[in-house]
Amino acid sequence: MAQSVVVQVGQCGNQVGCRFWDLALREHAAVNKKGIYDEALSSFFRNVDTRSDGNGPDIYKGKICSLKARALLIDMEEGVVNEILQGPLRDVFDSKQLITDVSGSGNNWAVGYKLYGYQYRENIVEKLRKTAEHCDCLQCFFIIHSMGGGTGSGLGTFVLNLLEDEFPEVYRFVTSVYPSGEDDVITSPYNSVLAMKELNEHADCVLPIENESLFDIVNKINQMANSGKLGSTVKQNSLVTSSAGSAKTLQEKPFDAMNNIVANLLLNLTSSARFEGSLNMDLNEISMNLVPFPRLHYLVSSLTPLYTLADVNVPSRRLDQMFSDAFSRDHQLIQADPKHSLYLACALLVRGNVQVSDLRRNIERLKPSLDFVSWNQEGWKTGLCSVPPVGHSHSLLALANNTCVKPTFIELKDRFMKLYKKKAHLHHYLQIDGMEQSCFSEAVSSLSDLIEEYNELDATKGGPRTDPSRLKIAV
Amino acid sequence: MSIVTVQLGQCGNQIGHEVFHSLCSDIQGTHGLCSRRENESYQESCRERFFCQEESAVPVARAVLVDMEPKVISQTLSVAARSGSWKYNQQSHFCQKQGSGNNWASGYSVHGPRHKEAIMNLVQKEAEKCDRLGGFFTIMSMAGGTGSGLGAFVTQCLRDAFPTSFILNHVIWPYGTGEVIVQNYNSVLTLSHLYQSADALLVHENDVIHKICAQLMNIKQISFRDVNQVLAHQLGSVFQPTHTEGHSDYSRNPLGDLMETLVPHPEFRMLGLRNIPQIPENSLPYSTFSWPGLIKHLRQMLIANAKMEEGIDWQVRPPCPGSSSHSTNKPLHFNTSLANLLVLRGKDVHSVDLGSFQDPSLYTSWLNPQDAFNAWKTPRAFNKYEKSASLVSNSQFLLKPLDSIVGKAWNMFASKAYVHQYTKFGIEEEDFLDSFTTLEQVISSYSTL
């Protein structure tokens, strides 16, 4: 089985990453009762002998000694990483897999990319090589970062670029948290657009996330949990926002619930690669099936169910509800409505006690209300994993390559232009070595091209379908 | 003669396992309904064909398991061993870490050449264990990356290494509404390549088997396991031992006989399979069947191109004899055959009247109906069915599904969607065009039967 390495950059990246590792341990603990280090665990964890302080060779079989995350933690200020290392997860991280500095990036993409990027390049490459060496077969890098700040955005995309150079065969999945309209960082549009250019050119797949959506989902769950409807108590550890049962038993921090959602997204994405099922869906299959053209690799994701009710009996109607919800606006992790836009491709990864007939029935049911591009009318990729997530009997992750991302990008561009026209705050960027005005114009041009590609596809929506004529054979 | 099975990819391995399981439980069952001598002869023939019997040990399937990622193979090996009644050879498998990513090009151009030696070594070892090698049976799906791409490559290698052996590819056609988005590309590339190296392609469509599970077997929540078990039953009903015309011993060369009867012309290699009856296991003790009824149904299923024993269109009739038998005059929806093979198992099988299948109007004009139709029989009942009838047909059965797959693939190709994923691994647009041309030719040939 192949391994994946998580590279968490910046405050947001590290906070989400921390939740991911916590929930990953919880998930494996629930499945792996015998304490044997198996293939599923090895996809994200190394098994080391604590006596040699992690310097000895990894233990590939047998009992679990000490699990170390295959991760690289990068931040240009120390606060977040230090907190992680002092918290309940401190033993999961190898102390050598960190890169930190003290002063931060000042919410400036140029500082993150040009300054710290070049400064730490060799250090980063060396640590990446080390992590890769510990892997039997490295399949994928997961980068977690935010777009609006300086470190996650600038240094994060620098690392993305680096990964393409140093490890061209390994897939690069990026989970990017996009800033909302009311973001308190004034320069977040600059940072985001500059980062977008890098994502356009160097990522294999991007999973955009918006805080607003996460926030709405958290509220929805809280309402449900607190409304205490008669006869329907929610199973606490099933909440997609919950840390229940994990290492973190202390006071939950405000972003924890939101970050847990993203952590669950990553867990579900990789579940079929780690656990068995009747129709496996590996990470390289996701990229293969959902990216019809190289630059259109932005995938809108949704997770259902958000919680499980404690009454155990699950009639198939509830199963069908799970499928319907996956396509509803309020389950998407960005502010988008895929149902009313054009689908290029869609993937459904089901976990738990769901069979192929349930899948088929629901696809048939939902298909008529969805608009697929003319050359991909049956653009469905499906996967069945037998192991459900903790607290659920089944769950669904839907990934859509859909033109509904366009509004997010258009808004981003508009906010960028508002600042750029006035040249506001530009000097903070241009004073960094290696940064020129052309970086800005190229970045916004790249974004405009992307938006244009989506426009062209939208133009085909609902139009008359004339199939291209087939090859004629002389009889 | 023995058959070596090569199980390719997740689908191939999952099905292969069910096939061996079904064969084994059939010969170990006590529902033979025939004389003891007949039964023993049958069991021995089956064992020689599919299993290697080591001293006092459990029979070992003559199979090579290939996959590009380890999960399915390790599951398959352990489930088989746990059954206690048969197992796989623990060394006869090859797997890698990372899968083919549903990418035909990755399976064919990257994994194929890279692992050719290791895989062919395993095949060679299995072949050497056979006293007489009767040929190869490969099981694969055409929607994914390994079964399809690596499968096409391995088939080519088998052809090169064993130029005089028979190769039968069992190919699974995916559900029409997507299991894999690029399934139509993968299918087109697979079929066009297999056509060059295999002797024949035996096809099963997931949609059809799914309907059988839903409507005939009354399974409520159909899993892939259910689908695979029906498939295994259908395959077993063809490949378990039988007597060919005029022979009293069990046939020693099933693949050769199959090719001889069904593939008279290299342009026509696609075989469809229909098996009746198919009913839930717990209904078996309460049901009886008659040969005339079964034969009549199968014949109508053939000419009306019905996928299963329900919803057969009885209105379809063969063209009147005496009228011109040009395809343009044939009534619409009539399924013309090139050649047919009936495999009949069970009670009173020797009394069956098969005249209706020898009707020349069923067949294309350029073959003698005597040559176009064959029947294999055995009085030994199969898999608890008192009577079982299978039809393997080289006819226009698969014309529409094939045309549909090629159409969808062409539609996608016209927009160049996903093509970059293939060119990344060395399959260029020209290769696609070659494949499309090959298949359009096949479609055209079958249309004018």
Side-chain angles (χ1 to χ4, degrees):
Chain A
M1 197 169 309
Q3 287 83 40
S4 302
V5 171
V6 175
V7 182
Q8 29 193 94
V9 191
Q11 171 175 23
C12 170
N14 277 291
Q15 282 175 331
V16 173
C18 180
R19 299 312 315 130
F20 168 75
W21 291 109
D22 198 10
L23 292 183
L25 282 170
R26 181 179 78 156
E27 182 170 87
H28 281 281
V31 174
N32 189 336
K33 296 293 181 199
K34 295 190 193 146
I36 307 270
Y37 179 69
D38 60 7
E39 296 261 357
L41 267 173
S42 91
S43 63
F44 280 114
F45 295 95
R46 290 166 51 206
N47 190 17
V48 299
D49 191 346
T50 35
R51 290 167 297 175
S52 53
D53 192 29
N55 285 329
D58 286 357
I59 307 169
Y60 286 106
K61 287 197 158 95
K63 277 208 142 0
I64 297 172
C65 278
S66 172
L67 291 176
K68 292 282 181 219
R70 299 188 193 277
L72 193 54
L73 286 68
I74 304 179
D75 201 359
M76 292 296 102
E77 52 174 15
E78 294 178 313
V80 179
V81 174
N82 277 345
E83 210 184 317
I84 296 178
L85 294 179
Q86 281 153 21
L89 288 177
R90 58 181 167 275
D91 291 326
V92 173
F93 297 106
D94 188 338
S95 54
K96 296 188 272 330
Q97 293 304 110
L98 317 165
I99 299 179
T100 54
D101 204 306
V102 280
S103 29
S105 304
N107 286 328
N108 185 329
W109 181 93
V111 172
Y113 194 101
K114 303 279 183 189
L115 196 75
Y116 286 124
Y118 291 116
Q119 186 175 332
Y120 282 99
R121 188 181 209 281
E122 279 188 36
N123 194 350
I124 296 174
V125 172
E126 194 202 310
K127 301 215 154 119
L128 284 171
R129 292 231 162 274
K130 204 76 213 295
T131 341
E133 270 163 36
H134 287 299
C135 296
D136 212 348
C137 174
L138 177 58
Q139 182 180 44
C140 183
F141 282 108
F142 284 99
I143 298 182
I144 313 179
H145 71 144
S146 72
M147 301 281 279
T151 303
S153 173
L155 189 54
T157 48
F158 179 82
V159 172
L160 175 62
N161 208 335
L162 198 73
L163 288 175
E164 187 173 21
D165 287 337
E166 301 287 324
F167 303 90
E169 314 263 300
V170 181
Y171 285 92
R172 296 172 291 282
F173 270 74
V174 188
T175 307
S176 306
V177 181
Y178 280 67
S180 61
E182 306 91 39
D183 199 87
D184 51 0
V185 175
I186 300 180
T187 49
S188 69
Y190 283 162
N191 297 330
S192 302
V193 173
L194 288 163
M196 273 291 285
K197 174 164 177 290
E198 305 297 314
L199 291 183
N200 280 344
E201 292 173 14
H202 305 294
D204 286 311
C205 272
V206 178
L207 299 161
I209 315 272
E210 282 183 279
N211 272 343
E212 274 170 79
S213 302
L214 296 179
F215 190 67
D216 288 340
I217 291 176
V218 170
N219 277 343
K220 196 166 160 185
I221 293 178
N222 284 339
Q223 266 174 17
M224 179 63 212
N226 295 332
S227 70
K229 276 205 205 122
L230 219 64
S232 60
T233 42
V234 177
K235 277 161 82 172
Q236 275 305 308
N237 66 349
S238 75
L239 299 180
V240 79
T241 50
S242 152
S243 314
S246 64
K248 218 171 170 29
T249 44
L250 312 166
Q251 264 289 327
E252 285 199 5
K253 310 239 298 298
F255 280 98
D256 273 356
M258 289 162 64
N259 292 340
N260 278 340
I261 299 177
V262 184
N264 274 313
L265 165 65
L266 288 173
L267 279 178
N268 284 343
L269 188 66
T270 53
S271 61
S272 189
R274 290 176 290 137
F275 301 117
E276 35 122 82
S278 61
L279 189 57
N280 296 334
M281 180 152 99
D282 210 340
L283 293 167
N284 47 10
E285 294 174 26
I286 293 175
S287 166
M288 173 71 183
N289 283 287
L290 292 173
V291 184
F293 299 101
R295 282 168 35 109
L296 300 179
H297 54 244
Y298 294 86
L299 307 177
V300 180
S301 48
S302 67
L303 285 172
T304 51
L306 299 175
Y307 48 78
T308 317
L309 300 178
D311 41 347
V312 186
N313 236 322
V314 185
S316 74
R317 193 164 45 90
R318 186 140 353 136
L319 193 61
D320 289 10
Q321 185 62 43
M322 177 176 82
F323 281 90
S324 303
D325 284 341
F327 292 91
S328 83
R329 196 197 180 108
D330 35 355
H331 280 78
Q332 308 302 317
L333 299 191
I334 65 167
Q335 299 280 289
D337 190 4
K339 246 184 154 157
H340 294 105
S341 301
L342 188 65
Y343 273 90
L344 302 179
C346 186
L348 297 175
L349 215 185
V350 190
R351 297 180 66 172
N353 185 18
V354 183
Q355 300 303 341
V356 64
S357 54
D358 302 311
L359 201 50
R360 306 226 56 73
R361 181 181 69 247
N362 280 287
I363 290 178
E364 289 306 313
R365 188 171 61 86
L366 293 166
K367 214 167 53 141
S369 58
L370 303 171
D371 239 324
F372 272 83
V373 74
S374 66
W375 41 259
N376 203 1
Q377 289 283 300
E378 274 106 24
W380 296 90
K381 163 71 180 156
T382 55
L384 292 165
C385 174
S386 337
V387 178
V390 175
H392 293 271
S393 57
H394 46 81
S395 78
L396 171 64
L397 164 67
L399 294 171
N401 191 341
N402 188 307
T403 56
C404 67
V405 285
K406 202 176 59 170
T408 306
F409 295 155
I410 293 178
E411 256 186 65
L412 200 58
K413 184 178 163 194
D414 289 343
R415 278 186 256 139
F416 175 94
M417 292 311 289
K418 249 195 190 144
L419 291 174
Y420 192 56
K421 280 205 181 99
K422 308 233 180 72
K423 306 228 187 299
H425 302 281
L426 220 48
H427 57 285
H428 288 130
Y429 290 79
L430 297 177
Q431 74 191 15
I432 305 291
D433 218 357
M435 196 66 188
E436 284 158 21
Q437 190 116 357
S438 59
C439 296
F440 281 84
S441 49
E442 275 167 25
V444 77
S445 162
S446 170
L447 183 56
S448 300
D449 287 344
L450 185 67
I451 293 174
E452 192 45 41
E453 276 186 61
Y454 281 110
N455 275 335
E456 276 171 29
L457 283 164
D458 267 337
T460 65
K461 189 178 162 190
R465 263 194 64 206
T466 40
D467 289 338
S469 38
R470 299 264 290 273
L471 292 175
K472 296 266 184 287
I473 302 292
V475 174
Chain B
M1 276 184 161
S2 312
I3 299 175
V4 172
T5 301
V6 184
Q7 311 180 173
L8 296 146
Q10 173 168 29
C11 175
N13 280 293
Q14 283 176 191
I15 291 181
H17 167 258
E18 294 296 343
V19 170
F20 283 109
H21 187 80
S22 164
L23 295 173
C24 206
S25 73
D26 176 43
I27 58 174
Q28 286 169 354
T30 50
H31 304 271
L33 296 183
C34 59
S35 72
R36 211 175 90 159
R37 208 168 66 109
E38 183 81 54
N39 197 24
E40 277 170 6
S41 179
Y42 180 87
Q43 289 170 330
E44 206 187 297
S45 182
C46 169
R47 281 199 200 100
E48 182 200 33
R49 233 178 240 197
F50 296 108
F51 296 93
C52 199
Q53 189 93 41
E54 263 120 53
E55 283 280 335
S56 77
V58 168
V60 179
R62 298 186 190 278
V64 178
L65 292 73
V66 180
D67 200 357
M68 289 298 102
E69 61 108 358
K71 294 195 297 286
V72 182
I73 288 188
S74 68
Q75 228 189 335
T76 310
L77 288 174
S78 67
V79 173
R82 259 185 284 145
S83 73
S85 49
W86 68 281
K87 63 179 187 188
Y88 286 104
N89 180 335
Q90 291 299 317
Q91 266 77 48
S92 277
H93 67 94
F94 179 81
C95 64
Q96 289 294 283
K97 304 268 173 194
Q98 218 198 117
S100 302
N102 288 164
N103 191 325
W104 193 94
S106 173
Y108 186 84
S109 308
V110 177
H111 292 300
R114 201 180 279 175
H115 306 300
K116 173 177 172 174
E117 215 181 298
I119 296 175
M120 291 311 287
N121 271 342
L122 289 176
V123 172
Q124 189 70 42
K125 281 211 190 89
E126 276 302 325
E128 277 163 18
K129 278 194 232 159
C130 305
D131 276 342
R132 283 168 70 201
L133 179 63
F136 297 96
F137 182 59
T138 72
I139 314 180
M140 64 230 273
S141 76
M142 52 182 209
T146 299
S148 70
L150 181 63
F153 186 84
V154 168
T155 306
Q156 224 168 275
C157 295
L158 286 174
R159 175 53 72 219
D160 292 336
F162 301 90
T164 53
S165 290
F166 296 105
I167 303 177
L168 177 65
N169 285 84
H170 180 227
V171 188
I172 302 297
W173 290 26
Y175 288 98
T177 39
E179 293 172 27
V180 169
I181 294 178
V182 291
Q183 63 187 42
N184 297 313
Y185 280 169
N186 292 338
S187 302
V188 164
L189 291 164
T190 306
L191 290 172
S192 59
H193 278 79
L194 286 182
Y195 234 76
Q196 325 287 354
S197 349
D199 288 305
L201 281 63
L202 181 60
V203 174
H204 265 120
E205 300 164 76
N206 270 350
D207 279 307
V208 172
I209 307 294
H210 190 103
K211 277 217 187 86
I212 292 178
C213 286
Q215 293 177 251
L216 296 181
M217 312 287 280
N218 284 331
I219 304 175
K220 292 280 175 273
Q221 209 192 10
I222 302 168
S223 64
F224 270 114
R225 186 141 181 266
D226 297 316
V227 170
N228 293 343
Q229 282 174 340
V230 171
L231 263 166
H233 172 88
Q234 294 206 349
L235 288 173
S237 75
V238 174
F239 292 108
Q240 283 290 49
T242 49
H243 303 284
T244 44
E245 293 295 345
H247 290 95
S248 57
D249 283 334
Y250 278 112
S251 155
R252 311 275 330 267
N253 190 8
L255 288 183
D257 292 338
L258 190 90
M259 302 306 171
E260 198 187 308
T261 61
L262 288 174
V263 191
H265 189 294
E267 187 65 19
F268 300 88
R269 297 190 198 274
M270 312 254 279
L271 308 176
L273 174 51
R274 302 281 182 270
N275 165 265
I276 60 174
Q278 196 103 61
I279 59 176
E281 195 175 313
N282 42 17
S283 305
L284 272 173
Y286 309 108
S287 319
T288 48
F289 306 95
S290 73
W291 285 118
L294 290 174
I295 299 299
K296 189 164 169 205
H297 278 226
L298 261 185
R299 182 177 182 272
Q300 193 61 26
M301 282 168 75
L302 169 65
I303 63 182
N305 201 355
K307 308 284 187 180
M308 59 176 184
E309 208 182 348
E310 214 170 276
I312 305 175
D313 185 353
W314 289 92
Q315 300 299 324
V316 180
R317 295 248 180 279
C320 308
S323 67
S324 162
S325 52
H326 260 289
S327 52
T328 43
N329 285 349
K330 287 217 169 91
L332 280 172
H333 311 305
F334 176 77
N335 184 42
T336 312
S337 302
L338 182 55
N340 287 315
L341 169 68
L342 271 183
V343 186
L344 306 171
R345 301 173 185 276
K347 218 164 120 184
D348 303 325
V349 78
H350 291 289
S351 65
V352 188
D353 173 15
L354 297 172
S356 60
F357 268 94
Q358 288 160 321
D359 180 358
S361 62
L362 260 52
Y363 299 93
T364 186
S365 57
W366 39 272
L367 257 192
N368 199 334
Q370 264 98 299
D371 299 324
F373 173 73
N374 277 280
W376 297 351
K377 301 176 189 166
T378 172
R380 207 272 190 187
F382 171 66
N383 207 9
K384 303 185 193 150
Y385 280 81
E386 179 203 54
K387 298 189 179 79
S388 171
S390 291
L391 169 66
V392 187
S393 172
N394 190 344
S395 68
Q396 293 173 320
F397 259 168
L398 295 160
L399 181 51
K400 255 175 86 192
L402 178 61
D403 190 61
S404 164
I405 289 177
V406 175
K408 289 187 211 167
W410 185 248
N411 196 3
M412 194 182 266
F413 186 67
S415 70
K416 299 285 176 281
Y418 297 103
V419 174
H420 72 285
Q421 307 270 16
Y422 292 85
T423 51
K424 201 161 52 165
F425 293 107
I427 296 294
E428 304 297 330
E429 285 186 27
E430 260 184 44
D431 299 307
F432 274 95
L433 285 171
D434 286 341
S435 292
F436 278 114
T437 312
T438 305
L439 291 183
E440 293 286 6
Q441 181 70 60
V442 173
I443 292 173
S444 169
S445 303
Y446 272 102
S447 299
T448 52
L449 257 189

